[in-house]
Amino acid sequence: MSLDISVQFKKGALELCVLVLIHEHDRYGYELAQSVSQHIEVAEGALYPLLRRLVGEGYCTTYLQESSEGPPRKYYKLTPEGESYMRKLVVEWKQFVKSVSNLIERGSRL
Amino acid sequence: MNKSEFLAQLHDHLSVLPPEERQELMEDYEAHFTFALQNGKTEEEIAMELGNPAELAKEAIDGRFSAKEPVYWFNPNAVPEPTGPPIASAARPGRSGFASAMVYTGLFFLNMVAVPLLISLWMLGVSLATAAAGMLLSPVSLGLEYLVGNSVLPAKNYAVLVLMGLGILLALASKPVFKWLIRISKSYWTWNVQTAHGGNKA
């Protein structure tokens, strides 16, 4: 079941990564998929349900922008609530990583 | 899997969603295909990178019904743990007197066998190292023998060469052996301490 854990793990990290990436600047779905997969190996398709959820929770809004090539792009923009949610998640992520690192370090000293 | 197969499977699996929601998601994936095809990827590559349609659909449906469910590490009530010795913070209720007595008794009997076993393992390690030292020192003893005045025997010279070679190899082998001995002794000791302290603060 270790694979399952890894999947859960990435799913959790994906939300944070997406929020941070949108916070950097507004991005459209495919752009996000590319940026995320540069950093973590994840099923890119999982992005779209996640983005829908973020919009549903009021953390993101979307707007369409025409592009010279191809179909119009659906851009995602962070709302003020989304930004404070992201900051909260970042703090918790750091705390989480620190705790796990401490624990691993303790384990290796046994 | 190509684009139309992927989208058809996804469409099927999303059938529980309200039509407009399903349509929006389908448009997201169709747009993804369009952008990725523009970037020179094949439909098969794109479908593979997107993932399994059944799982993606499940995610979309689950995410919808548990929208407010926090991410797994996110716990709003979590108090940041003090960074002191982490074991101490995990204060579990202590054992009863009877249980502790039993644990100590069990450890005592276990150690009656385990400690001599450990010691004998250490003895094996020591003898390995001693053998290595003896072999490495064999030229010295041969030299001493010649000093005392025994006649030079070519066979002995060759034997010393062989012993030297073996000695070097054994000496090399004894390093990991000692490392391993130290490790198992340490972890056995730690385990003992942990078991003895059990629920009480370590």
Side-chain angles (χ1 to χ4, degrees), chain A residues 15 44-45 48 52 57 92, chain B residues 24 29 32 50 67 71 74:
Chain A
E15 175 170 13
E44 290 179 6
Y48 296 105
R52 277 194 64 80
E57 285 168 357
E92 264 148 24
Chain B
E24 268 182 60
Y29 287 102
H32 185 101
L50 279 172
V71 197
F74 171 68

Side-chain angles (χ1 to χ4, degrees), chain A residues 67-103:
Chain A
S67 119
S68 50
E69 73 249 35
R73 297 165 172 179
K74 190 159 119 191
Y75 275 86
Y76 292 84
K77 181 185 177 60
L78 219 55
T79 61
E81 296 80 51
E83 194 178 326
S84 65
Y85 177 60
M86 177 205 76
R87 293 192 190 286
K88 214 161 89 180
L89 275 188
V90 167
V91 169
E92 264 148 24
W93 169 264
K94 287 182 178 164
Q95 181 66 42
F96 173 75
V97 168
K98 212 172 89 187
S99 305
V100 174
S101 307
N102 281 344
L103 190 139

Side-chain angles (χ1 to χ4, degrees), chain B residues 21-79:
Chain B
E21 268 195 65
R22 169 157 82 163
Q23 196 44 45
E24 268 182 60
L25 264 172
M26 292 305 296
E27 278 165 15
D28 284 340
Y29 287 102
E30 276 165 37
H32 185 101
F33 269 102
T34 312
F35 290 123
L37 284 169
Q38 273 179 359
N39 275 15
K41 289 193 177 157
T42 68
E43 291 186 359
E44 279 74 19
E45 276 173 349
I46 302 166
M48 215 174 64
E49 283 171 355
L50 279 172
N52 179 345
E55 276 171 31
L56 296 175
K58 190 173 167 291
E59 203 136 313
I61 294 159
D62 289 352
R64 195 172 160 273
F65 292 121
S66 57
K68 283 295 172 193
E69 207 172 90
V71 197
Y72 68 99
W73 70 73
F74 171 68
N75 177 3
N77 305 318
V79 184

Side-chain angles (χ1 to χ4, degrees), chain B residues 116-132:
Chain B
L117 187 72
L118 259 179
I119 291 174
S120 57
L121 282 176
W122 270 96
M123 285 304 148
L124 267 176
V126 170
S127 49
L128 190 71
T130 318

Side-chain angles (χ1 to χ4, degrees), chain B:
Chain B
M1 201 186 325
N2 64 26
K3 177 180 172 182
S4 55
E5 284 167 339
F6 180 94
L7 291 176
Q9 282 193 27
L10 191 66
H11 194 261
D12 282 350
H13 287 290
L14 287 176
S15 57
V16 291
L17 289 184
E20 63 276 15
E21 268 195 65
R22 169 157 82 163
Q23 196 44 45
E24 268 182 60
L25 264 172
M26 292 305 296
E27 278 165 15
D28 284 340
Y29 287 102
E30 276 165 37
H32 185 101
F33 269 102
T34 312
F35 290 123
L37 284 169
Q38 273 179 359
N39 275 15
K41 289 193 177 157
T42 68
E43 291 186 359
E44 279 74 19
E45 276 173 349
I46 302 166
M48 215 174 64
E49 283 171 355
L50 279 172
N52 179 345
E55 276 171 31
L56 296 175
K58 190 173 167 291
E59 203 136 313
I61 294 159
D62 289 352
R64 195 172 160 273
F65 292 121
S66 57
K68 283 295 172 193
E69 207 172 90
V71 197
Y72 68 99
W73 70 73
F74 171 68
N75 177 3
N77 305 318
V79 184
E81 262 192 80
T83 42
I87 291 179
S89 61
R92 280 172 286 160
R95 280 198 197 102
S96 72
F98 176 73
S100 320
M102 283 297 126
V103 167
Y104 283 117
T105 315
L107 280 179
F108 175 73
F109 283 124
L110 178 64
N111 282 330
M112 272 180 31
V113 178
V115 169
L117 187 72
L118 259 179
I119 291 174
S120 57
L121 282 176
W122 270 96
M123 285 304 148
L124 267 176
V126 170
S127 49
L128 190 71
T130 318
M135 287 172 175
L136 283 173
L137 287 175
S138 58
V140 178
S141 45
L142 187 67
L144 282 176
E145 196 184 342
Y146 290 156
L147 272 183
V148 183
N150 279 347
S151 59
V152 174
L153 204 65
K156 283 190 180 171
N157 295 344
Y158 291 116
V160 162
L161 278 180
V162 171
L163 283 178
M164 284 275 288
L166 285 175
I168 291 171
L169 292 180
L170 269 187
L172 284 177
S174 45
K175 195 189 168 192
V177 166
F178 273 104
K179 265 193 173 165
W180 177 75
L181 280 170
I182 290 171
R183 214 186 63 216
I184 59 163
S185 309
K186 259 194 188 164
S187 44
Y188 183 67
W189 172 250
T190 319
W191 177 80
N192 259 285
V193 172
Q194 271 179 6
T195 311
H197 287 195
N200 304 326
K201 283 183 183 180

